[in-house]
Amino acid sequence: MGQDILHRTWLGDIVHGDISLHDPTCKMKHNILHLDSVTSTNSWLAVEGRDMPHATVVTTREQTAGRGQRGNSWESQPGANLTFSMLLRPESIAAHSQFTISEAVALGIADALRHYLPADRVKIKWSNDIYVDNRKICGILIENSITGDRIGRSIAGIGINVNQEEFHSDAPNPVSMRNITGIEYNLDEVLNLVIDSILARLDEGIANPASLHRAYIESLWGKEGRTYRDTATGEIFSAIIEDVAPIGHIHLRDTSGHLRIHAFKEIAVIL
């Protein structure tokens, strides 16, 4: 699988050199592969993980060409944050309901972060960034492969700002867990809790997608009203979030009472 792999762990066991410690926060079975440096964990897992099982996770200390939504880059100080990708095989989810996976991943991360941060301040910014107040703490890139009318495989690339204290890119509003609380966190502990939380939410989405969707809508940042810019026309308008469709399009109700439906990148929030 490549010389960059440092170690493999099962059932949440964390291996450092020759010392193996079991993390009691890990409750679900998953396979973690640790890489020292890689261009992109999503790209690596797409090639090397074709035959790997559901819930395989690839983490890296340094990601040299990490990708965000629509090709955006992701800044992360090596060794300070969590940069990883998770292989999911939600074969019972229909292709037309693929946004269920985005809902599960985003909610799972939000659930985990609420364990460490003030819960009411952790929100999901459509479509699946995680915000604390008005600042971005996590970016997510989900790439689905369709088999027939079902999701054959999903790769969720996740970057969570954990211990980084300074940011130097042109990103307008990054923040880390340590920025918020002043606490330095154990990355392995946070990782295992995030993985468990995502798998729990995915199980919920398969068993009761309506319940998952309600939780996602309740967790949305700015659902009570925000100012937006139409990226095609430049129009500025204010609207509340009414719903998000199964394919991920957002439904907004503007101040004139009109329903607006937009795909990702068709609108931008004015912070």
Side-chain angles (χ1 to χ4, degrees), residues 88-198:
L88 303 171
R89 298 191 182 277
E91 296 167 358
S92 62
I93 295 179
H96 63 77
S97 298
Q98 61 187 277
F99 196 69
T100 296
I101 300 165
S102 293
E103 292 180 333
V105 172
L107 274 169
I109 296 168
D111 290 341
L113 292 180
R114 287 168 180 153
H115 179 78
Y116 301 102
L117 305 174
D120 60 344
R121 295 169 59 189
V122 178
K123 300 291 184 180
I124 300 167
K125 179 178 174 291
W126 175 81
S127 58
N128 51 18
D129 287 336
I130 309 297
Y131 268 38
V132 179
D133 299 326
N134 292 325
R135 305 182 71 183
K136 182 174 176 177
I137 197 167
C138 172
I140 305 165
L141 173 65
I142 296 178
E143 299 173 309
N144 296 319
S145 296
I146 309 299
T147 302
D149 62 351
R150 298 284 156 178
I151 303 296
R153 179 189 74 181
S154 293
I155 297 176
I158 299 164
I160 303 176
N161 297 329
V162 181
N163 291 320
Q164 187 164 340
E165 296 185 89
E166 295 182 2
F167 295 86
H168 304 288
S169 74
D170 57 1
N173 59 342
V175 71
S176 71
M177 295 168 64
R178 189 169 185 174
N179 286 153
I180 296 165
T181 66
I183 298 170
E184 184 175 1
Y185 293 91
N186 180 294
L187 293 179
D188 290 322
E189 176 190 314
V190 177
L191 175 64
N192 272 312
L193 184 56
V194 168
I195 294 169
D196 280 350
S197 299
I198 289 172

Side-chain angles (χ1 to χ4, degrees), residues 8 25-26 31 36 48 50-52 64 73 77-78 88 98 100 102 135 147 150 163 170 187-188 208 225 245:
R8 176 194 294 255
T25 65
C26 179
N31 178 27
D36 183 43
E48 303 291 343
R50 291 191 184 95
D51 299 320
M52 291 182 182
T64 59
S73 62
Q77 178 184 331
L88 303 171
Q98 61 187 277
T100 296
S102 293
R135 305 182 71 183
T147 302
R150 298 284 156 178
N163 291 320
D170 57 1
L187 293 179
D188 290 322
N208 192 344

Side-chain angles (χ1 to χ4, degrees), residues 26-82:
C26 179
K27 300 176 181 178
M28 297 187 178
K29 182 175 181 178
H30 47 261
N31 178 27
I32 303 177
L33 304 174
H34 299 262
L35 309 180
D36 183 43
S37 179
V38 68
T39 54
S40 162
T41 53
N42 263 35
S43 298
W44 189 94
L45 196 51
V47 174
E48 303 291 343
R50 291 191 184 95
D51 299 320
M52 291 182 182
H54 174 71
T56 294
V57 175
V58 175
T59 73
T60 185
R61 180 180 178 276
E62 180 184 31
Q63 190 167 229
T64 59
R67 294 176 292 129
Q69 292 282 4
R70 301 299 187 271
N72 295 332
S73 62
W74 178 258
E75 177 192 359
S76 183
Q77 178 184 331
N81 303 315
L82 288 175

